[in-house]
Amino acid sequence: PWELSRFQHLAVLGQAYWLSEDEKYPREFTAQIEDWIKHNPVEIGVNWTCTMDVAIRAVNWIIGYYYFHGSPEISADFWDKFLSVLFLKGRFVLRNLERNPQGHGNNHYLADLAGLVWLGLFFGTWDRETEKWLETGIRGLVEEMDYQVNPEGTDFEASIPYHRLVTEIFL
């Protein structure tokens, strides 16, 4: 359930919509998001146990928003629900950052921080809380660069897949 609930496929779905202008894609986007929200109440269940997954999902939902927000097939009620749950993801990520007691983390923590940056940029200066997401995310990513990147440029977790992931997150 974790991979599907990351919604990494939304970019492909959105690209199909932009290329074809076929309204079946916004309908599918809406159906998937509504089904996910229905079966995954905020902070309950397997899809809320790992903050990294919540952050990844938030980023992918934001990507989906930008592909589909102009569709006449999607109601204002859907967008209200979508934005409400997306906002709650931001709160969840900030309260559940995956770092060790010394204040640093690993690739999970970086994904958490990147999610906060995306959420902070998306919601902008809506209120002090959303501003804090952006500030926390940027500050944390800058601090973690010194901690997680070895002097020769490799990831401190000493794993090629993690090195790739961490590089993508920093980029």
Side-chain angles (χ1 to χ4, degrees):
W2 288 326
E3 287 302 320
L4 285 174
S5 286
R6 287 180 173 180
F7 283 86
Q8 294 182 46
H9 59 281
L10 289 185
V12 175
L13 195 67
Q15 290 166 3
Y17 176 53
W18 276 24
L19 292 171
S20 70
E21 298 181 1
D22 189 333
E23 291 297 321
K24 72 180 180 184
Y25 296 108
R27 286 191 297 271
E28 181 62 25
F29 168 77
T30 304
Q32 288 185 26
I33 298 292
E34 286 181 333
D35 183 72
W36 192 93
I37 290 170
K38 177 182 175 185
H39 291 98
N40 295 278
V42 175
E43 298 190 28
I44 298 173
V46 67
N47 289 307
W48 291 92
T49 59
C50 177
T51 305
M52 176 180 76
D53 289 322
V54 176
I56 290 170
R57 183 169 44 256
V59 169
N60 288 316
W61 280 26
I62 291 168
I63 290 169
Y65 172 84
Y66 285 110
Y67 277 115
F68 296 110
H69 77 276
S71 169
E73 289 286 319
I74 302 178
S75 72
D77 288 341
F78 169 81
W79 286 124
D80 287 345
K81 186 185 318 180
F82 174 91
L83 293 171
S84 295
V85 174
L86 189 59
F87 181 85
L88 294 172
K89 288 179 192 307
R91 279 189 176 162
F92 179 87
V93 172
L94 185 64
R95 285 195 325 258
N96 295 284
L97 292 170
E98 298 169 282
R99 61 182 169 204
N100 66 35
Q102 290 78 32
H104 291 291
N106 55 20
N107 63 80
H108 279 238
Y109 182 50
L110 290 183
D112 301 346
L113 295 169
L116 286 176
V117 170
W118 276 70
L119 286 156
L121 289 170
F122 182 77
F123 283 104
T125 56
W126 186 63
D127 70 5
R128 182 65 193 120
E129 185 174 6
T130 57
E131 289 175 359
K132 185 175 180 179
W133 298 344
L134 182 59
E135 292 166 8
T136 301
I138 290 173
R139 185 179 61 252
L141 285 172
V142 170
E143 290 171 1
E144 289 299 305
M145 282 182 190
D146 289 333
Y147 178 75
Q148 293 199 28
V149 179
N150 293 322
E152 80 284 353
T154 60
D155 174 56
F156 86 112
E157 290 186 80
S159 161
I160 291 172
Y162 285 167
H163 177 77
R164 180 199 51 81
L165 174 62
V166 166
T167 301
E168 288 177 6
I169 292 171
F170 283 136
L171 287 173

